[in-house]
């Protein structure tokens, strides 16, 4: 709609009435600018270069599901775009208000609803920071076992929206494995609940329609997750492999026999840079660290099996010290001084594939980036593993001297590197992304990934959001 005269203020009044007062809405320039930057490199660079970030027209902070419903009805009537904001920690630009309109900040909706110790579940509102949910679980002697690097700044809704993952995923699963049910507000304002238990023969699993949908199909307002008993024993180990192939194959065999909670395998470039810097590890080769946990007598047997597999593939046992040190520093890797940051250009091209393709993808991505962009550093590790395959957490890093100062030129270079790397992954059996989401960053490549299957998602979008107001330009929708 075209906003004239006092109409923006009229809509602000309507939104304030929906959420209990003017203290929960804003049109102030300083507030609007705050929501123009998440952890997407292009957005941060844009602001760093003095350019105006994308800004919403209205900010609204609902305090209950019924208020979210009212906001959606207002937005649908006026056909105003709606963007959902959790913690703002996403790296894909998924929450950025590229269409202006309404930005719905969910953090007022942060209540604990229930801890069910009989069923071992925990239910909370989607605006809660995940660390707080974990603390609530810990108070009762449990854990959600969703421990991502954004634990202290990402929300429940954000984790569900982009299909997030934590460091314990190899044993306990991704967020979509851990979530049992959800409450969702549809674009027309209707409030729905998915089935109380997931993945059973009662038709399609509605959870899997909304998990990973990045705010394009509705607003997740509540969720129920599994709880796990704290393990009786947790053992760490580290290994050094002579090459990538031996490490991949050892990881595959380990996954066929046991379920480590942590299994991370680093290429030589990352071993001699980041692992050396943080852990003080000085040897050449490909570093692997793992943790296994549970009942002690079972863990002891699992460690014996792991050591046999590692020996079979030529790995060197480094003992427990480096594994324990990695765990102690698991978040340090993402602190200032250790993580990449502006004025560098950087990105994480996480992809996932079967064991038959994962090394091929690693080499194809490295080759194309090294050949097209010889000044770019390429490092990689595999941090999430399955019985059938694993993922590569591949990073590119461009030193400040090679990053264009012109923001348009910098954006073009960033997108050219992403196009080359992600297309190399897709051409060799990988997928567009493993767990960071699609957002604005990779939206343009969704049709290449899905081909004719994209019409399924487009049909869902058209049916649920006929006015196209939900998070435009994200997820290829």
């Amino acid at each position: 709609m075209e906003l004239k005269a006092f109409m923006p203020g009229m809509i602000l009044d309507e939104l304030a009435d929906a959420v209990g007062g003017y203290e929960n809405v804003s049109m102030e320039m300083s507030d609007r600018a705050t929501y123009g930057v998440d952890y997407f490199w292009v957005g941060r660079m844009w602001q760093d270069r003095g350019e105006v970030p994308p800004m919403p027209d209205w900010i609204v902070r609902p305090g209950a599901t019924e208020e979210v419903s009212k906001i959606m009805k207002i937005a649908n009537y006026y056909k105003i775009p709606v963007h959902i904001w959790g913690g703002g920690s996403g790296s894909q630009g998924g929450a950025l208000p590229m269409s202006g309109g309404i930005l719905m900040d969910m953090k007022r909706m942060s209540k604990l609803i229930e801890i069910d110790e009989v069923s071992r579940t925990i239910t909370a509102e989607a605006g809660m920071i995940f660390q707080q949910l974990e603390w609530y679980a810990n108070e009762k002697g449990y854990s959600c076992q969703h421990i991502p690097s954004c634990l202290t700044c990402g929300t429940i809704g954000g984790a569900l929206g982009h299909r997030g993952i934590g460091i314990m995923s190899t044993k306990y699963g991704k967020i979509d494995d851990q979530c049992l049910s959800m409450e969702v507000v549809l674009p027309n304002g209707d409030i729905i609940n998915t089935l109380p238990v997931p993945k059973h023969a009662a038709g399609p699993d509605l959870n899997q329609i909304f998990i990973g949908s990045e705010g394009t199909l509705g607003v997740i307002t509540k969720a129920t997750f599994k709880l796990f008993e704290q393990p009786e024993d947790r053992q760490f180990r580290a290994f050094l492999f002579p090459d990538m192939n031996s490490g991949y194959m050892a990881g595959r065999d380990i996954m066929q026999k046991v379920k480590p909670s942590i299994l991370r395998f680093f290429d030589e470039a990352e071993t001699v840079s980041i692992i050396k810097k943080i852990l003080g590890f000085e040897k050449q080769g490909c570093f692997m660290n793992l943790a296994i946990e549970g009942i002690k007598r079972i863990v002891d047997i699992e460690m014996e099996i792991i050591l046999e597999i590692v020996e079979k593939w030529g790995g060197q046992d480094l003992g427990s010290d480096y594994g324990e040190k990695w765990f102690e520093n698991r978040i340090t890797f993402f602190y200032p001084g250790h993580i990449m940051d502006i004025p560098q250009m950087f990105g994480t091209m996480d992809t996932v594939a079967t064991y038959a393709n994962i090394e091929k993808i690693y080499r194809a991505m490295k080759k194309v980036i090294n050949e097209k962009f010889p000044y770019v550093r390429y490092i990689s590790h595999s941090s999430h593993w399955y019985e059938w395959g694993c993922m590569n957490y591949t990073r590119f890093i461009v030193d400040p001297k090679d990053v264009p100062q012109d923001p348009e030129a910098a954006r073009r270079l960033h997108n050219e590197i992403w196009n080359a790397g992600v297309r190399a992954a897709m051409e060799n059996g990988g997928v567009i992304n493993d767990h960071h989401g699609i957002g604005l960053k990779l939206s343009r490549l969704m049709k290449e990934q899905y081909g004719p299957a994209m019409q399924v998602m487009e049909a869902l979008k058209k049916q649920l959001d006929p006015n196209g107001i939900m998070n435009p330009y994200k997820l290829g929708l």
Side-chain angles (χ1 to χ4, degrees):
M1 65 177 294
E2 186 178 357
L3 298 173
K4 293 184 177 181
F6 48 79
M7 197 63 208
M10 294 291 288
I11 294 173
L12 182 74
D13 297 343
E14 209 169 337
L15 291 169
D17 184 59
V19 296
Y22 288 95
E23 65 272 20
N24 298 318
V25 296
S26 178
M27 290 179 65
E28 294 295 326
M29 179 64 74
S30 58
D31 291 336
R32 292 165 59 209
T34 297
Y35 294 96
V37 183
D38 60 3
Y39 201 65
F40 178 35
W41 188 86
V42 171
R44 296 181 68 217
M45 175 276 297
W46 199 252
Q47 187 182 64
D48 182 67
R49 301 290 197 271
E51 301 291 334
V52 178
M55 289 187 285
D57 299 297
W58 301 271
I59 298 157
V60 58
R61 304 179 182 92
T65 300
E66 293 71 24
E67 293 181 3
V68 174
S69 175
K70 291 177 183 178
I71 294 165
M72 292 313 309
K73 289 176 181 178
I74 293 167
N76 243 317
Y77 174 77
Y78 292 109
K79 296 182 175 58
I80 299 172
V82 178
H83 305 84
I84 315 303
W85 190 278
S89 62
S91 61
Q92 312 297 76
L96 295 183
M98 305 309 298
S99 302
I102 294 169
L103 187 138
M104 197 186 307
D105 186 328
M106 299 296 291
K107 286 191 291 296
R108 280 185 67 216
M109 294 185 60
S110 57
K111 300 182 188 69
L112 177 69
I113 306 300
E114 180 186 29
I115 296 179
D116 181 346
E117 293 195 69
V118 176
S119 303
R120 301 290 170 85
T121 64
I122 186 168
T123 304
E125 292 180 321
M128 182 182 288
I129 297 295
F130 225 104
Q131 176 67 84
Q132 184 63 61
L133 189 74
E134 178 68 9
W135 282 334
Y136 281 128
N138 296 164
E139 287 174 0
K140 297 291 187 178
Y142 305 109
S143 173
C144 298
Q145 297 295 2
H146 179 70
I147 315 292
S149 58
C150 62
L151 180 67
T152 59
C153 56
T155 61
I156 290 170
L160 291 165
H162 68 80
R163 205 175 287 275
I165 200 167
I167 64 168
M168 318 298 276
S169 68
T170 301
K171 182 178 180 69
Y172 298 103
K174 299 177 66 178
I175 197 73
D176 43 327
D177 301 306
Q178 296 167 339
C179 179
L180 297 178
S181 61
M182 298 187 299
E183 177 186 80
V184 181
V185 178
L186 299 180
N188 67 1
D190 285 351
I191 301 168
I192 69 168
N193 287 276
T194 65
L195 294 182
V197 293
K199 299 182 182 178
H200 291 278
D205 182 359
L206 294 185
N207 282 347
Q208 298 307 319
I209 293 176
F210 295 101
I211 295 176
S213 65
E214 302 187 20
T216 62
L217 301 178
V219 185
I220 299 169
T221 49
K222 295 177 187 175
T224 298
F225 298 95
K226 302 174 188 176
L227 286 176
F228 300 93
E229 291 184 359
Q230 296 284 15
E232 177 186 312
D233 186 37
R234 178 180 287 150
Q235 297 183 21
F236 300 95
R237 209 77 171 199
F239 308 101
L240 188 67
F241 288 90
D243 52 43
M244 294 296 288
N245 180 261
S246 59
Y248 280 133
M249 293 299 97
R252 177 202 63 188
D253 288 358
I254 289 170
M255 288 302 300
Q256 289 290 313
K257 301 292 192 302
V258 301
K259 288 289 182 293
S261 54
I262 299 170
L263 179 57
R264 300 176 89 91
F265 175 56
F266 300 79
D267 75 351
E268 189 159 0
E270 191 157 352
T271 298
V272 300
S273 57
I274 294 175
I275 296 299
K276 177 181 177 180
K277 180 179 179 181
I278 296 179
L279 301 189
F281 186 77
E282 297 285 353
K283 297 182 179 180
Q284 299 287 321
C286 299
F287 181 85
M288 177 185 284
N289 68 279
L290 60 78
I292 51 174
E293 59 192 69
I295 299 170
K296 186 178 188 311
R297 60 184 181 273
I298 296 175
V299 170
D300 289 340
I301 294 170
E302 288 180 330
M303 185 60 79
E304 290 179 14
I305 294 169
I306 289 170
L307 293 174
E308 291 170 0
I309 292 170
V310 169
E311 184 179 7
K312 170 188 170 183
W313 288 103
Q316 177 186 349
D317 182 5
L318 301 174
S320 62
D321 289 352
Y322 283 117
E324 290 174 0
K325 193 171 183 180
W326 182 93
F327 189 75
E328 291 167 2
N329 289 277
R330 60 193 181 277
I331 305 298
T332 304
F333 289 88
F334 298 93
Y335 283 170
H338 299 290
I339 192 65
M340 296 79 65
D341 203 357
I342 288 176
Q344 292 174 315
M345 178 186 290
F346 56 89
T348 300
M349 299 174 173
D350 48 314
T351 187
V352 61
T354 61
Y355 288 115
N357 290 323
I358 194 67
E359 184 178 357
K360 181 170 58 172
I361 289 168
Y362 167 80
R363 300 197 182 284
M365 292 177 74
K366 185 174 184 176
K367 182 175 185 290
V368 72
I369 289 175
N370 286 345
E371 289 179 352
K372 288 190 174 184
F373 313 98
Y375 48 86
V376 173
R377 284 183 286 152
Y378 175 99
I379 61 176
S380 184
H381 67 263
S382 296
S383 46
H384 307 284
W385 296 69
Y386 313 93
E387 294 88 349
W388 46 265
C390 67
M391 61 82 66
N392 278 346
Y393 192 104
T394 294
R395 288 168 170 159
F396 71 85
I397 305 166
V398 185
D399 288 332
K401 64 181 178 60
D402 296 313
V403 180
Q405 285 303 300
D406 175 66
E408 297 283 354
R411 188 204 67 246
R412 284 196 297 271
L413 175 60
H414 174 272
N415 289 346
E416 287 170 359
I417 296 172
W418 272 95
N419 286 348
V422 173
R423 282 174 174 149
M426 290 192 291
E427 288 165 5
N428 288 277
V431 302
I432 191 171
N433 195 261
D434 177 64
H435 62 267
H436 286 106
I438 302 301
L440 180 67
K441 179 189 284 184
L442 297 173
S443 182
R444 64 189 179 280
L445 297 173
M446 281 289 281
K447 288 180 174 63
E448 293 183 31
Q449 172 78 85
Y450 279 93
M454 192 69 188
Q455 66 184 299
V456 177
M457 284 184 275
E458 291 170 341
L460 280 170
K461 174 72 170 175
K462 184 176 180 180
Q463 183 64 37
L464 292 174
D465 184 22
N467 291 322
I469 64 172
M470 299 299 297
N471 210 7
Y473 311 128
K474 315 296 171 54
L475 208 63
L477 298 170

